[in-house]
Amino acid sequence: MALEPEREIEPTEAEIAVHWKEEEYYQPPASFIAQANLTDPSMYERFSLENFPECFKAYADLLDWYKYWHTTLDTSHPPFWRWFVGGQLNASHNCVDRHLPRYRNKTAIHFVPEPEDEPIHHMTYQELWMRVNEFAALLRDFAGVQKGDRVTIHMPMVAELPVAMLACARLGAIHSVVFGGFSGKACAERAADCGSKVLVTMDAYWRSGTLLDHKEKADIAVEEARKLGLQIEKVLIWQRYPGRYSSRTPLVEGRDFIVNDLLREYRHRTVEPVRVHAEDPLFLMYTSGSTGKPKGVQHSTGGYLAYVAGTAKYYQDIHPEDVYWCMADIGWITGHSYIVYGPLALGASTVVYEGTPTHPDAGRPWRIAEELGVNIFHTSPTAIRALRKAGPDEPKKYNHHFKHMTTVGEPIEPDVWRWYYQVVGKGEAVIVDTWWQTETGGFLCTTAPALHPMKPGSAGPGVLGIHPVIYDEDGHEIPAGSGRAGYLCIRNPWPGQMQTIWGDPDRYVRTYFAKFCKDPNSRDWRDWPYMAGDGAVQAADGYIRILGRIDDVINVAGHRLGTKEIENAALQVQEVAEAAVVAARDEIKGIMPELYVVLHPGHQPSEELKRRIIDTIAREISPIAKPRNVYVVPDMPKTRSGKIMRRILAAISNGREDVGDVTTLSNPEVVQAIKEIVKSGRA
Ligand code: WTA
């Protein structure tokens, strides 16, 4: 791989030595250990590399199979691994039907509306089964959806979202859920990429006290998809309030249909779950990479479901009698794996909360936990930071008790971790800091909650059957305890690993394997470590601490965005000639984008222009992508080959006086000018 110019002169970000203060260990409470699913340390031996890949049979055996597989792992076409080959199953059957004999009358989904005076809907497994069947019948018989078809679902956090996903799964159709907060345009790009002719949406939903019109995004999505060459034939609209249409937009004749009306025709209709192969795709989840185009991460049915069921059982410690709340959005991978598929595969009760954590106040999550008897709580460091800031003592007012808490999505500062542990968890709960990605399907690194002590700020060792390694730039292993950081990789395949990027298998190989592949002609999985794209450091105890992305991806409040996507959106503004986005530290959101722009000649910076740029980004992508600041600068710091040195801009955005080496710049004088603009912009 060619070295980029700026890399010749200093270590890459991944290699920087890090000097943390070592944090103290916290032991899991005895009350937790007494009831935990994973208490036998020899499980780690059973999942050692010597026992790979057969060890993962233990996960597959958590599922119901119509037909058992004959080959655990087929490696004949690296790195396109195939798990549980020959097996047949259905995900909807595994998450719903098979629980009916024992749990028919038990809550599957607690739907908590944002308005506090609206009752919570406790949907039983029986009701979930009925709703999934009816909607599957509608999708099949009204919308013509068949096995292998893609269905785009652009919905808020309501119980109808898992119903729609499971209905697709029942038919063997591939769902592609787009985060509800994404724009109509972002939805269109994703639908067009996978050629989905059906869009499932909702008329409106509550967010921070406002009933937002969501159907208007569907109108934009259809229009934008048409420009990209995709005709969306049917828009299926759930009503937030059944019987009442809560959007200002008209229904387009022959295209827009109200699901709640259509369902009258499908009352009590049942659909046999379609038997699919273990390697048939279950869903696509679009995520940001280092180019402007989001990639459709494709997950399998058998491998993925086995992996999320296994990790939810052993690392979330989910038992069927637990009330489990993952306060994340189903529109991201966390929600797919650990709100929907993992907990439902295990027959748990899972909470779906519509709104923002701090609405109407920072006590809301703890009231919900108290009311529902939630005993497993899962959220992101951003939510924890926001709740701590808005209500540091709120959790003390409520009588909730967690046995287990999770953090996911971003590094958590040890100080924030301690508040989570002591105040939210009242010192009674075990915490797991789970590191993983959209591409990995489920957890890769975390402590085992009853076996390993916790260490604030560190994810922990690899989970069962996951063997992490940290490589330096040249592919040499960096030993644990050296204090040096490098590229976090996984030595071996695992069942939850993505299958490919939809429509772009080369990008899959390039992005995750090219850099550290030992032999491109080898069919031995040992030659194909998976490169995660994160920098990390491993302490002497084997615990891994994640430093963050080493590519052009930033993690804003745990939402993954590509800097290129934001830059492309800024370039839609006619005055903007060049745009560069960098990651700036933020007290609440962890990281926020800051945008630097150069204008075309003849244009002057103004507040109006900056606002227009920000609005454009919100419209093109989502309000979550809005930069914290926009700086209009005379020129970008560039190498002689014309590459923008984002590293220097990032140093300035993060208030570092020393921006590093500038001798390779073709225009070093611009650095001082930019520093002054940023300083006066902040003043
Ligand atoms: C980051 C979210 C630190 C990391 C599940 C990764 C984390 C990216 C952690 C994936 C963690 C995830 N500590 N950083 N526990 N978990 N990340 O695809 O940079 O939305 O590459 O998946 O989030 O984000 P994604």
Side-chain angles (χ1 to χ4, degrees), residues 307-328:
Y307 195 71
V308 297
T311 48
K313 175 166 178 176
Y314 294 123
Y315 293 94
Q316 299 293 89
D317 198 55
I318 296 180
H319 301 60
E321 56 271 30
D322 289 322
V323 182
Y324 168 86
W325 182 14
C326 172
M327 194 174 69

Side-chain angles (χ1 to χ4, degrees), residues 287 332-334 381 407-412 433-440 445 457 459 532-535 545-549 553 555 558-560:
T287 189
W332 305 104
I333 193 69
T334 300
T407 97
V408 63
E410 325 150 56
I412 183 164
D433 178 345
T434 57
W435 170 77
W436 59 297
Q437 310 175 297
T438 304
E439 293 87 339
T440 74
C445 288
D534 277 320
R545 184 158 187 163
I546 310 296
L547 304 176
R549 303 288 313 189
V553 171
N555 224 320
H559 301 318
R560 187 165 150 183

